[in-house]
Amino acid sequence: MGKKADKELIIGGIRTDQRLPDQMRDVEMEVGVITSSNGSAKVSFGKTTAIASVHGPRSLFPKFLQESTTGIMRCRYNMAPFSVDDRKSPGPDRRSTELSKVIRQSFQPTLMLEDYPKATVDTFIEVIEADGSTRVTGINALSLALASAGIPMKDLVAACSVGKIDDTLIVDLNGLEDNNSESDVAVAMMPRKNIVTLLQMDGVLTKEEFMTLLNTAKKSCNKIFEQQQATLMEKYKGDE
Ligand code: UDP
């Protein structure tokens, strides 16, 4: 990250997986994939797949963690040992601790948990296949899972990654691109309200490049948002 690519990853305007710079991988979304949870979803961006599961609102213990005026959300992001070619050692590490925290924070502005004092909404993201952009894939899945659990939210959250390789902005980085990009940025936003809720950047960009990148990210988030809405509508059509 934050370096020149060792090999050419964009040739004649086409990426190694035949995509155009602003083209996302095939995006698949499914809601209701775990029957025992209150809400769940699976989202794939190409070969990256994340499952999100929501449990609650439910009483929060130990009691000293309770907030008397609102419920809270907890989040655990985890990459399965079999999700990458080089087996990842199981269990939490610094990266998953950081990602769990920033993912939780990316939902903070949209959640309306005031009606659930002393309660928790426990959320889990399991990355079962990782080929770049796992945090944003997980966020998109969690957004659907929270909605399907009926958790009150001001807006969905949609997320995507954008990076720079050979002075070209590319959307939805795969693993190879992620490892070789000069810069990569993860963006999550509340699309209807146009509020950015997560912005993490590796590498260096000029201010102009950054502003262009942010606009590109917003356009992609809006496309993802449309697909999230369509997925929820399809699942719950006819339900009153
Ligand atoms: N990755 C890996 N092993 C790890 C962590 C990451 O192979 O222990 C790969 C995986 O494909 C991931 C990519 O590196 O998607 C980029 O990871 P990063 O930390 O930048 O986060 P992400 O882009 O997945 O949100």
Side-chain angles (χ1 to χ4, degrees):
M1 277 168 275
K3 59 187 180 194
K4 270 272 174 202
D6 295 334
K7 58 175 185 167
E8 277 198 80
L9 295 178
I10 305 179
I11 300 171
I14 302 291
R15 295 154 73 176
T16 52
D17 55 10
Q18 308 306 313
R19 281 186 289 158
L20 293 168
D22 64 351
Q23 191 179 350
M24 285 185 280
R25 291 171 285 184
D26 284 342
V27 183
E28 284 174 25
M29 299 183 181
E30 190 183 344
V31 171
V33 293
I34 302 172
T35 50
S36 59
S37 64
N38 295 104
S40 61
K42 182 166 104 170
V43 171
S44 299
F45 278 68
K47 283 187 266 173
T48 292
T49 298
I51 291 175
S53 188
V54 172
H55 302 260
R58 59 189 182 186
S59 298
L60 175 57
F61 295 105
K63 272 192 166 183
F64 72 85
L65 292 175
Q66 293 180 353
E67 298 274 343
S68 58
T69 55
T70 184
I72 65 162
M73 169 190 160
R74 298 191 287 191
C75 179
R76 190 190 80 166
Y77 162 101
N78 182 54
M79 254 173 74
F82 54 80
S83 65
V84 282
D85 290 340
D86 303 326
R87 176 181 176 276
K88 183 200 161 287
S89 61
D93 51 21
R94 282 183 58 173
R95 176 177 176 274
S96 63
T97 304
E98 177 208 325
L99 293 193
S100 299
K101 181 177 182 215
V102 298
I103 291 171
R104 179 175 58 75
Q105 288 174 335
S106 72
F107 284 90
Q108 218 62 53
T110 197
L111 291 171
M112 299 191 292
L113 297 176
E114 300 78 13
D115 287 343
Y116 305 98
K118 301 182 181 175
T120 178
V121 176
D122 290 328
T123 68
F124 302 86
I125 291 171
E126 294 292 324
V127 176
I128 56 173
E129 268 198 274
D131 183 25
S133 307
T134 63
R135 78 195 66 192
V136 292
T137 306
I139 289 172
N140 291 320
L142 185 49
S143 183
L144 288 171
L146 285 162
S148 73
I151 306 297
M153 291 191 283
K154 295 175 191 153
D155 199 353
L156 290 174
V157 175
C160 72
S161 63
V162 183
K164 187 177 99 168
I165 290 179
D166 296 339
D167 290 328
T168 304
L169 288 184
I170 54 166
V171 172
D172 180 27
L173 282 70
N174 64 31
L176 181 67
E177 292 170 336
D178 191 295
N179 286 328
N180 292 285
S181 60
E182 292 148 55
S183 176
D184 75 274
V185 182
V187 178
M189 63 182 297
M190 293 159 64
R192 252 191 302 241
K193 298 201 175 283
N194 196 24
I195 294 172
V196 172
T197 64
L198 171 80
L199 200 135
Q200 288 187 292
M201 175 166 140
D202 271 327
V204 179
L205 293 170
T206 64
K207 187 178 167 195
E208 287 70 29
E209 282 172 337
F210 176 76
M211 294 314 292
T212 310
L213 178 145
L214 192 58
N215 276 330
T216 306
K218 285 185 173 184
K219 275 188 207 149
S220 300
C221 283
N222 277 313
K223 282 188 207 156
I224 293 159
F225 174 57
E226 280 172 22
Q227 192 168 341
Q228 286 174 318
Q229 282 182 306
T231 303
L232 289 167
M233 295 278 274
E234 178 64 24
K235 174 80 179 170
Y236 296 110
K237 69 179 173 201
D239 287 9
E240 289 301 329

